[in-house]
Amino acid sequence: MSIYAKLEKCLECVRKQTDFVPDVAVILGSGLGALADEIKKEAVVEYSSIEGFPVSTVPGHKGRFVFGYMGDVKVVVMQGRVHFYEGYPITDVVLPTRLMKLMGAKILFVTNAAGGANPEFDAGDLMLINDHICKVPNPLIGANVEELGTRFPDMSEVYSSRLRNVVRKVASENGVDLKEGVYVQLTGPSFETPAEVRMCRFFGGDAVGMSTACEAIAARHAGMEIVGVSLISNKAAGISETPLTHEEVQEAANLAAPKFKKLVTDSVSRFGEFLK
Ligand code: HPA
């Protein structure tokens, strides 16, 4: 089955459960799923009810789309995502992103927990993503999905400058010290070695993680406008003085959850001005 045919089938499964048309798609990263409880809920669709949809195996990741409102803005929120390291083909990893585009979303707000490769970053910081380096296979490899976008899409501004301005403004109004930088997606699931972190730093990376860049590529290909925030859950290997654990990542996410929630929900509420 072609990728587009698979997407149409998934969309049909969703549409049997809700006819809600979102304007903004939000992907919640590790430990950040609680944000979905903030929205005025209109519908919930479990990933397991969608034929052919990849379902996550990671603890701390639920698996469902939550539809509703942030302010007056219609959103679909992914509570839980799948990662390349779970063994799915990269085209399946980005299927949910493409599906949200087909549901109607024009803007993608992508979030993740990441390690700080920039030595100035501390655990609990939030980083506005201004660009990325994708060290997993490009999700557009294979026959081009013509219905979504062009064969050779431009990537010179993956993260929208006008949406980044909104997030910066919301952060400053709320007294949030928002860092900015380049996100590097590696495959995982092992955390990086100190040498790999030094490599990422040398390449211009500020944060390292196991998601996001592939989703952003697929979204950009499909013409979505993107913005992204990383929660720096730990200093990356070699900068951190202690070995890294998944539990540490989740704890840091829980601690930073309130400021993170406020930044995402207030920013999304203001994206309404770009949707008219
Ligand atoms: N490395 C990769 N992914 C991560 C990290 C890290 O240090 N922290 C949270 N996700």
Side-chain angles (χ1 to χ4, degrees):
M1 202 192 304
S2 74
I3 289 173
Y4 197 72
K6 195 168 167 181
L7 279 165
E8 283 185 313
K9 220 171 171 60
C10 289
L11 185 63
E12 203 183 301
C13 285
V14 172
R15 285 293 168 238
K16 278 190 189 136
Q17 299 176 65
T18 179
D19 56 7
F20 191 89
V21 175
D23 284 314
V24 177
V26 182
I27 304 180
L28 297 176
S30 288
L32 302 170
L35 196 144
D37 303 330
E38 297 291 296
I39 76 174
K40 203 170 121 242
K41 267 194 203 87
E42 294 286 327
V44 171
V45 173
E46 300 289 336
Y47 298 159
S48 57
S49 73
I50 306 171
E51 220 182 301
F53 196 91
V55 179
S56 177
T57 58
V58 187
H61 279 257
K62 276 193 195 162
R64 56 190 205 160
F65 286 117
V66 178
F67 296 84
Y69 290 85
M70 287 186 186
D72 295 331
V73 174
K74 295 170 90 179
V75 299
V76 55
V77 177
M78 281 187 76
Q79 213 173 13
R81 59 145 70 88
V82 291
H83 302 82
F84 187 54
Y85 62 72
E86 292 177 74
Y88 295 100
I90 195 77
T91 45
D92 275 358
V93 176
V94 302
L95 178 142
T97 304
R98 288 170 153 171
L99 181 57
M100 293 191 290
K101 159 76 186 185
L102 293 194
M103 288 177 194
K106 299 165 197 76
I107 291 177
L108 173 67
F109 198 134
V110 71
T111 73
N112 58 60
N118 183 327
E120 287 177 11
F121 291 178
D122 284 319
D125 280 349
L126 299 183
M127 182 192 89
L128 181 63
I129 303 174
N130 57 27
D131 205 348
H132 73 225
I133 296 172
C134 185
K135 296 296 292 169
V136 299
N138 192 299
L140 309 181
I141 290 172
N144 184 42
V145 186
E146 291 292 335
E147 296 88 343
L148 293 177
T150 175
R151 171 79 292 188
F152 301 110
D154 173 65
M155 294 284 148
S156 51
E157 191 186 301
V158 176
Y159 301 88
S160 158
S161 142
R162 64 178 188 170
L163 297 185
R164 277 186 281 146
N165 283 340
V166 173
V167 178
R168 274 190 208 108
K169 188 146 187 279
V170 170
S172 97
E173 285 170 12
N174 287 286
V176 172
D177 171 27
L178 185 66
K179 310 285 199 241
E180 298 200 18
V182 173
Y183 177 90
V184 185
Q185 179 177 7
L186 304 158
T187 66
S190 53
F191 288 113
E192 303 71 35
T193 63
E196 286 165 340
V197 172
R198 285 196 298 276
M199 174 190 77
C200 291
R201 189 76 194 125
F202 187 72
F203 285 177
D206 294 286
V208 288
M210 307 176 193
S211 66
T212 299
C214 61
E215 293 152 332
I217 291 170
R220 198 71 206 103
H221 171 250
M224 295 175 92
E225 192 172 353
I226 304 159
V227 69
V229 172
S230 293
L231 161 68
I232 305 299
S233 56
N234 54 277
K235 285 175 174 281
I239 303 173
S240 166
E241 281 160 14
T242 52
L244 307 181
T245 65
H246 184 60
E247 288 68 32
E248 174 185 1
V249 171
Q250 283 183 308
E251 263 167 44
N254 288 341
L255 279 177
K259 69 173 174 180
F260 177 81
K261 269 186 208 170
K262 178 99 182 117
L263 185 66
V264 175
T265 49
D266 286 12
S267 298
V268 170
S269 305
R270 290 193 202 176
F271 292 165
E273 66 174 295
F274 302 125
L275 294 165
K276 285 163 196 140

